[in-house]
Amino acid sequence: MQTGKITALYVRFSYDDGIDAESGSIEHQKSLLKSYAESNGFTNLAFYAEI
């Protein structure tokens, strides 16, 4: 059931990864956060990134 609320998931670019806008570390962070959120019943996920 959706309530109109979102679950905001925040990822951050690491300059140690190089200059790629969408680095491997961001993809890894997204994967970990999505897995955690889904396994704990969080829905309507929205990712936000600081690049």
Side-chain angles (χ1 to χ4, degrees):
M1 175 175 80
Q2 293 293 334
T3 62
K5 296 181 180 181
I6 64 167
T7 300
L9 303 171
Y10 174 77
V11 296
R12 185 173 130 352
F13 176 75
S14 172
Y15 288 104
D16 293 337
D17 292 339
I19 59 173
D20 297 331
E22 186 81 0
S23 72
S25 73
I26 286 182
E27 286 303 313
H28 186 245
Q29 291 173 51
K30 284 181 176 180
S31 176
L32 290 172
L33 288 171
K34 182 179 181 198
S35 176
Y36 176 84
E38 290 175 343
S39 68
N40 286 281
F42 293 98
T43 59
N44 201 17
L45 308 178
F47 287 96
Y48 297 90
E50 180 179 325
I51 298 176

